[in-house]
Amino acid sequence: MEKEARRIVISGYYGFHNSGDEAVLRSILLALEEQGAAAGITIVPVVLSGDPAWTSRMYGVEAVHRMRPAEVWRALRGSQGLISGGGSLLQDATGAKTIPYYTGIIKMAQLLRKPTFIYSQGIGPVNRRWMDPLIRNAMRKSAYVSVRDAESAALLGRIGVPQDRIEVVPDPVMGMPLPADAAAAPGGAGEADALPVLGVSLRHWRKDGADLERAADALAALASRRAVRLRFLPFHTPDDAETSRLVMERISSKLDGANSRGSVVELVEPGDDPQRMLLEVSRCDALFGMRLHALIYAANQEVPLMGLSYDPKIDQFLHRLGLTAVGTTEQLDAERFAAEAGALLDDAEGWKRDHRDAILRLKQQSQQPAQQIARLLRQTISR
């Protein structure tokens, strides 16, 4: 018997070649496919993208341009609902247009009387109080609301969203699998040698670059203590690749001759497919990251991790694993970092034992939004 098909529009920061956001989309698509099948329906996604042609090629789904209102309207009108998320969509740290855009898409769907589903969003910071009603109204009229941490739920509660309507779940990427051909895929550079691999994911944040200078000093301190392979992983191209090269140059200038201990500094660019980046992270012995999804990738693969905090979302994720940041963009002690990184590399198995239960719990819970959405869509068919 042919399954009922339900077209669902997905709104997020997609089509911009940011590995973290693309991983969110890949994870949502996989979860919807799995949970839709379990509910006896076929969920047909339509993604709002900054680059619809690329999104269609990458994921094999229909996509329309996120900034063309007529296309968005037609997609919503022909759908059975809207998913907004995941990611940090409802925040004003990146500017005053972000929240009005994403809540505007939600309200457009609600005007068309389509059910709206909030999928594992990170809410905040919200510094402009006039934005509160936009968020509150969009959330109150949504059929399902989930956020990725307790702090996001608390923020929604403060602006008037009933707490009993909010489900706290992990980031969708906690449930993303390795690519199907992972076992057969060739290893990264240097896999044959005995050097432990520390994955590094950095981004530009401070205008004066002082945070990156401190990160370079900390990594150089580690490399001068012991032989290590520092493998830079750019999550947002081309920006992170340029940032990585700057930090690599500073590290190299500090390591000369015997001082380098035989350490290697390299840049790996696995391309746009988020599952390929997940595979690269899985090949690391530990990871040091600023990017939230670099840390989530590491947890997903039980790779010991250290976070450098530039935003509360970093601390919120680390806390769910019982961890704290090794430093911030304002402060990072090079010797403390070197000692902690060395300890992780020396006892990765101990770290895994200590955190495996928390990681497994997050991976299991990451399916909850897709389960709830599939159930609600199934109910609309049964009526």
Side-chain angles (χ1 to χ4, degrees):
M1 183 177 176
E2 190 172 339
K3 294 178 181 177
E4 291 269 5
R6 312 301 280 169
R7 289 171 64 83
I8 297 295
V9 176
I10 303 178
S11 168
Y13 190 71
Y14 306 131
F16 295 95
H17 305 264
N18 181 321
S19 182
D21 290 292
E22 297 305 326
V24 167
L25 177 57
R26 173 83 79 186
S27 302
I28 290 174
L29 293 173
L30 290 170
L32 289 174
E33 181 179 17
E34 179 180 342
Q35 299 304 325
I41 61 174
T42 298
I43 297 177
V44 181
V46 182
V47 179
L48 304 186
S49 170
D51 187 347
W54 179 84
T55 295
S56 291
R57 287 195 306 272
M58 175 63 72
Y59 304 107
V61 298
E62 185 180 340
V64 300
H65 203 289
R66 71 199 295 272
M67 297 305 291
R68 294 177 184 161
E71 291 186 19
V72 174
W73 180 267
R74 282 195 297 271
L76 288 169
R77 190 175 57 192
S79 77
Q80 280 74 50
L82 168 77
I83 287 173
S84 179
S88 302
L89 306 184
L90 300 182
Q91 48 77 29
D92 60 3
T94 56
K97 297 180 181 179
T98 305
I99 291 173
Y101 170 78
Y102 288 111
T103 56
I105 298 294
I106 295 169
K107 295 309 293 183
M108 192 183 294
Q110 292 170 349
L111 283 171
L112 287 165
R113 300 193 176 185
K114 307 295 182 179
T116 55
F117 311 103
I118 310 303
Y119 200 121
S120 187
Q121 285 203 28
I123 312 296
V126 182
N127 298 305
R128 300 166 175 87
R129 295 276 64 86
W130 61 268
M131 303 241 186
D132 290 356
L134 300 180
I135 299 172
R136 179 171 58 248
N137 293 338
M139 295 289 164
R140 281 181 166 179
K141 294 181 179 179
S142 288
Y144 171 73
V145 177
S146 62
V147 295
R148 70 183 180 200
D149 50 64
E151 292 82 358
S152 293
L155 192 158
L156 289 181
R158 288 196 296 274
I159 66 176
V161 181
Q163 290 286 288
D164 61 1
R165 297 200 62 240
I166 305 168
E167 187 169 38
V168 178
V169 299
D171 188 284
V173 178
M174 281 302 301
M176 186 172 70
L178 289 168
D181 63 349
E191 295 296 344
D193 65 40
L195 291 183
V197 178
L198 179 70
V200 182
S201 168
L202 298 176
R203 61 166 299 170
H204 177 76
W205 187 251
R206 285 179 58 118
K207 290 182 178 179
D208 63 4
D211 50 345
L212 296 176
E213 290 182 11
R214 284 190 285 269
D217 292 346
L219 290 164
L222 172 65
S224 65
R225 282 187 174 199
R226 61 187 295 156
V228 65
R229 184 176 293 275
L230 301 177
R231 180 170 293 167
F232 282 76
L233 303 167
F235 270 68
H236 190 183
T237 55
D239 296 353
D240 287 6
E242 294 171 4
T243 297
S244 295
R245 290 188 187 98
L246 288 172
V247 174
M248 291 166 69
E249 288 174 8
R250 182 176 177 91
I251 294 171
S252 296
S253 71
K254 288 179 161 290
L255 299 176
D256 54 344
N259 188 41
S260 71
R261 302 276 184 180
S263 293
V264 175
V265 183
E266 64 189 13
L267 178 67
V268 177
E269 299 184 77
D272 293 321
D273 189 326
Q275 287 176 288
R276 293 289 156 193
M277 181 65 90
L278 182 66
L279 181 59
E280 283 296 337
V281 170
S282 76
R283 291 169 170 159
C284 297
D285 296 298
L287 182 133
F288 168 53
M290 280 179 74
R291 289 280 185 191
L292 172 63
H293 282 98
L295 301 173
I296 294 174
Y297 278 35
N300 175 306
Q301 292 298 302
E302 294 189 9
V303 172
L305 59 94
M306 306 170 70
L308 182 68
S309 179
Y310 73 95
D311 184 281
K313 65 186 180 183
I314 302 297
D315 301 289
Q316 290 158 7
F317 176 70
L318 293 173
H319 291 164
R320 296 191 78 168
L321 295 177
L323 301 172
T324 57
V326 69
T328 70
T329 48
E330 305 303 315
Q331 187 277 329
L332 176 63
D333 182 88
E335 292 306 315
R336 178 195 164 199
F337 170 87
E340 292 194 17
L344 282 187
L345 293 171
D346 288 335
D347 188 22
E349 288 305 316
W351 188 94
K352 293 176 185 181
R353 284 194 305 273
D354 290 343
H355 300 285
R356 184 166 285 140
D357 287 347
I359 289 171
L360 180 60
R361 187 161 53 249
L362 293 180
K363 293 183 83 162
Q364 292 171 337
Q365 293 171 351
S366 69
Q367 294 289 314
Q368 288 175 205
Q371 289 172 351
Q372 294 288 356
I373 291 168
R375 180 182 61 81
L376 292 167
L377 290 174
R378 179 68 191 174
Q379 287 175 356
T380 64
I381 294 170
S382 302
R383 287 176 188 150

